[in-house]
Each structure stands twice: as C-alpha cells, then as structure tokens.
Amino acid sequence: MPNRIIKESICESQGLSDCSLFAQELYKRLITYADDYGRFNADTLIMRARLYPREYEYVTEQDIIEALIDLAGNSKIAFYTAHIFYQGGKSGVYGAFPNWGNHQRIRDTKMKCPDPGDTDINDWYLRRFIPLDMKVAILERDNMKCAICGKYITSCQDAKRFLKLGHGLCHFDHIVPVLQGGRATMENLRVTCPSCNLKRRKKFTFNDLVNESLTLMNADLRNTDDSRQAAAKRGESPPESESKSKKPMSDVAGASAGRAKAEPKFTQEDKAYQAALYLDEELGARLGQRPVEERRLQAWAEAFDKCHRLDGHSWEELEQVLQFSQKDPFWSANILSGGKFREKYVQLLAKMRQEEGKRQNQGRGDFPDYGNREDYV
C-alpha cells in the first residue's frame, strides 16, 4: 500500500469525537488498509489480522464490529455490497470512506474492491447505532449497574469519560431485538455487563453480514418478480428494460459475436441521464475517480426516469432532492446509486424540507438554492 496522508484536522473532527477512542484508532488504521479509491474489504476476521497483528489476542472481532457501527453511525464510513460470487459462493461486503478524494491523492491504479452494487447492508450498521449522548443518558439512568445481574459496571462517576476510554467494558442491550423490529430508544435500551449480554444473545460475525446482504438481494428479486406478476394479472407487460434484463444466461452466451450493440435507451440530452452523470461525478469526487461505465449510467438513468415518470415527481423537485442527497453528510454516505435514490426519495424529500424549515425559522438566508443549478454535468 502507498503512504497515506493524515491531516491534523482529524483531531478536530466532530464525527470522530463522538466515537470511542478505540473506534477513532481503528479509523486511522483503516486509512492505511483502504485501497487507492478509499475502499476496503469489510471482513472483520481479515481486518483483525491485518490491522492488529501484535494485538490480535486482545482485540476481538466483536470489538471491531462495534467500532464499525460507531463509525457508520457518525457518517465516517459507509458500507455496501457487490454481489460477486466467488469460488466459495459468497457475496462481498465492503466499506468506503465517503470523502476520500478530499484528503487523499487518487492514483490511476487498478481497483482492488468493486464498485458499489447495493447499500442496503449499511442499514445493518445504522439500525444498531446508539449515539454517544444516548449511551451516557442510559448509563446514568441505570446508575452504572448491569440491568441483569445488578453489579456495578464501573466505579467511574463520569459516564462519558468511561464510554470514551472503556470500549467494550459495557454493552447496551436492545430489550426488543433489532431483528424483531426493536429500535435504539431510551425505552428499548438497557446497560448490561459483557458477560450477561453475551450469554443471552448471539455474537455477530462477518458471515452474518454476508447472509443478511444475500437475504436483502433475494428480497429485491422477489419484489421484482411480484411486480411483474401483478402487471401480468392486470394485462400489462413489464417495462422493456426489465424484460431484457431477465434474459437467461444461455441466451446471452449464444448471442452472435458480430451482432451490433443496441442503442442506449438514454442519451446525454435526457434529464435522467444527466442526473446519472451528476451522481456518478459526485461519488467519484468522494470515493475516488473510477472509469465511466455506460451500463451503470443507463441503469441509474432508468431509476431516475421511473422516479419521474412512474412515481410522479417533477424534474425540478427531483433535481433539488438529488443535490441535497449529495450535500448532506449522512445521506451522501448512503445514496450511492440511482436505485437507492429512488427507494429513499420520500425520506430525502422530507429531510430536505425539514432543513429548509429550520433555516427559515432561524432567519438565515444562506440555505443553498438547489433549484438554480442549470444542469447536472
């Protein structure tokens, strides 16, 4: 790996300051672990061996997973899946630094990690994230005692100092588990000592993440099939692009090598394609420049077109929401494809209007006018 740049401003990062000191240290080690595009293999077993070769017996896989949840919740790292099935039949889960290009030199080298395929796996981390202030409030509410055995977790009276320095020395247990719909709220969380908590729940491993990513992918495929079946019952035909994408592999393999390439559905004059170009350029600036792939742009343009044509959103509003999604620190780490933008459109629109309302109530006129931009390119 080439040398990396760590600026002194990292010590003043608000996002990092809300993480434990162990998570902050992991973040710095991940900078040396990532490839030239700011991406890395999120297999915690590999990370443990590569990043802690001399502390391997002291740092556990669970320590790394909890620190990654901390970093993801504070928008310092985003996760995605690339459904590439290797010899072992597994799908890859990867992490990425959202603002890599702002701090590191991008080299024109071969990518060691694939482009983002889907970001649903990032929700696995976000659903388990508990903000530092909430942890402090829960620890103080429970009087520094384990809610199961009743023993004192620490003699330290400063809850925030204990949480910053004592990574892994206490756990925050979801009374209603996350997999059953439990949320990170004061009412659904309690403090436990590590031994009590690990007795009653399963440890998460990298394989759990992989299996969940596959489950999400299969659910997407089932939703697509359900939509096509519903269209068939109504006497409608599926969109042409979907019909083409479902061709059997044998048809593709048997196609004539000399057949001319089909004309792309969207061109640079189409607003859907311009939106796809804009998103690709924004991701390239943050995650590192990458080769422009026409197939990817066409797929994203298809999603933007459906967002306008089928979902009924005007291009003016869609442009504003898209630009907001790439300026907002949280959403810019999660909106990494046209499909994800369409899926989260309602939440994005609500958040954008909420931010506009806050600025208007504060009497400030410095909110960026997202609608004045002439085009996306």
Side-chain angles (χ1 to χ4, degrees), residues 96-109:
F97 288 85
N99 299 309
W100 181 263
N102 295 340
H103 305 285
Q104 302 295 329
R105 180 182 302 168
I106 305 299
R107 296 172 173 82
D108 188 16
T109 59

Side-chain angles (χ1 to χ4, degrees), residues 9-241:
S9 59
I10 195 174
C11 300
E12 303 172 359
S13 170
Q14 181 62 49
L16 277 183
S17 69
D18 289 334
C19 300
S20 69
L21 291 183
F22 177 82
Q24 295 182 34
E25 174 67 17
L26 174 63
Y27 180 82
K28 296 170 186 175
R29 297 191 184 212
L30 285 173
I31 292 176
T32 68
Y33 176 60
D35 67 9
D36 286 339
Y37 295 85
R39 304 169 187 170
F40 56 88
N41 187 332
D43 188 329
T44 48
L45 286 174
I46 297 176
M47 292 168 63
R48 181 186 175 198
R50 290 279 301 275
L51 299 179
Y52 298 95
R54 294 185 180 276
E55 300 93 359
Y56 186 83
E57 60 182 308
Y58 307 112
V59 176
T60 67
E61 186 178 0
Q62 189 69 23
D63 289 331
I64 296 176
I65 290 177
E66 290 178 0
L68 292 176
I69 291 172
D70 218 6
L71 292 169
N74 286 291
S75 301
K76 304 308 295 183
I77 288 175
F79 294 89
Y80 67 92
T81 53
H83 296 297
I84 301 174
F85 292 88
Y86 301 101
Q87 291 81 355
K90 294 183 178 180
S91 178
V93 179
Y94 300 89
F97 288 85
N99 299 309
W100 181 263
N102 295 340
H103 305 285
Q104 302 295 329
R105 180 182 302 168
I106 305 299
R107 296 172 173 82
D108 188 16
T109 59
K110 182 178 180 181
M111 290 185 292
K112 296 184 178 180
C113 297
D115 287 332
D118 195 290
T119 60
D120 282 341
I121 197 63
N122 202 52
D123 293 339
W124 189 96
Y125 296 87
L126 297 180
R127 286 197 300 268
R128 290 162 175 80
F129 170 67
I130 305 171
L132 178 62
D133 291 342
M134 183 180 290
K135 289 181 179 179
V136 171
I138 294 170
L139 197 57
E140 292 176 342
R141 180 199 66 190
D142 294 350
N143 297 317
M144 309 288 190
K145 290 183 179 180
C146 173
I148 297 177
C149 68
K151 294 180 180 179
Y152 279 101
I153 293 175
T154 177
S155 59
C156 178
Q157 297 302 309
D158 189 334
K160 189 170 185 178
R161 183 172 187 271
F162 170 72
L163 291 171
K164 294 280 285 187
L165 299 175
H167 177 86
L169 297 183
C170 73
H171 288 184
F172 291 86
D173 175 49
H174 289 75
I175 300 172
V176 178
V178 175
L179 293 178
Q180 296 178 16
R183 302 179 65 84
T185 62
M186 291 287 291
E187 297 75 19
N188 193 47
L189 291 170
R190 59 181 179 177
V191 178
T192 66
C193 59
S195 58
C196 287
N197 196 37
L198 294 178
K199 285 178 183 177
R200 62 179 298 275
R201 74 173 176 87
K202 173 188 174 185
K203 289 184 179 180
F204 289 112
T205 65
F206 178 72
N207 287 334
D208 294 326
L209 299 181
V210 172
N211 292 334
E212 183 155 338
S213 71
L214 291 175
T215 301
L216 292 170
M217 181 184 69
N218 292 332
D220 290 341
L221 293 176
R222 286 195 299 270
N223 291 336
T224 300
D225 290 340
D226 291 343
S227 299
R228 300 182 74 216
Q229 291 174 7
K233 289 181 180 180
R234 296 193 300 266
E236 302 173 358
S237 59
E240 182 181 358
S241 60

Side-chain angles (χ1 to χ4, degrees), residues 201-346:
R201 74 173 176 87
K202 173 188 174 185
K203 289 184 179 180
F204 289 112
T205 65
F206 178 72
N207 287 334
D208 294 326
L209 299 181
V210 172
N211 292 334
E212 183 155 338
S213 71
L214 291 175
T215 301
L216 292 170
M217 181 184 69
N218 292 332
D220 290 341
L221 293 176
R222 286 195 299 270
N223 291 336
T224 300
D225 290 340
D226 291 343
S227 299
R228 300 182 74 216
Q229 291 174 7
K233 289 181 180 180
R234 296 193 300 266
E236 302 173 358
S237 59
E240 182 181 358
S241 60
E242 291 188 12
S243 302
K244 291 181 179 180
S245 65
K246 298 296 181 180
K247 284 186 178 181
M249 290 300 295
S250 58
D251 292 350
V252 177
S256 171
R259 183 180 300 173
K261 291 184 178 179
E263 289 295 326
K265 182 175 181 180
F266 300 96
T267 65
Q268 294 191 8
E269 286 72 30
D270 296 317
K271 289 191 174 182
Y273 192 87
Q274 294 171 13
L277 276 175
Y278 170 79
L279 178 59
D280 191 63
E281 290 176 358
E282 289 292 314
L283 294 179
R286 293 199 307 274
L287 303 180
Q289 296 298 328
R290 53 188 179 174
V292 176
E293 294 184 5
E294 183 63 24
R295 182 173 58 179
R296 180 176 66 234
L297 293 176
Q298 288 292 328
W300 291 0
E302 179 83 22
F304 288 119
D305 178 66
K306 289 181 178 179
C307 195
H308 165 68
R309 181 169 48 84
L310 301 181
D311 302 340
H313 302 295
S314 69
W315 281 117
E316 181 180 3
E317 179 189 83
L318 192 148
E319 292 170 7
Q320 295 177 21
V321 174
L322 177 59
Q323 293 183 43
F324 169 79
S325 74
Q326 297 305 297
K327 305 301 180 186
D328 183 82
F330 172 79
W331 286 110
S332 63
N334 290 274
I335 304 301
L336 305 178
S337 69
K340 177 59 67 173
F341 173 81
R342 185 190 179 200
E343 176 188 339
K344 300 294 184 182
Y345 188 91
V346 175

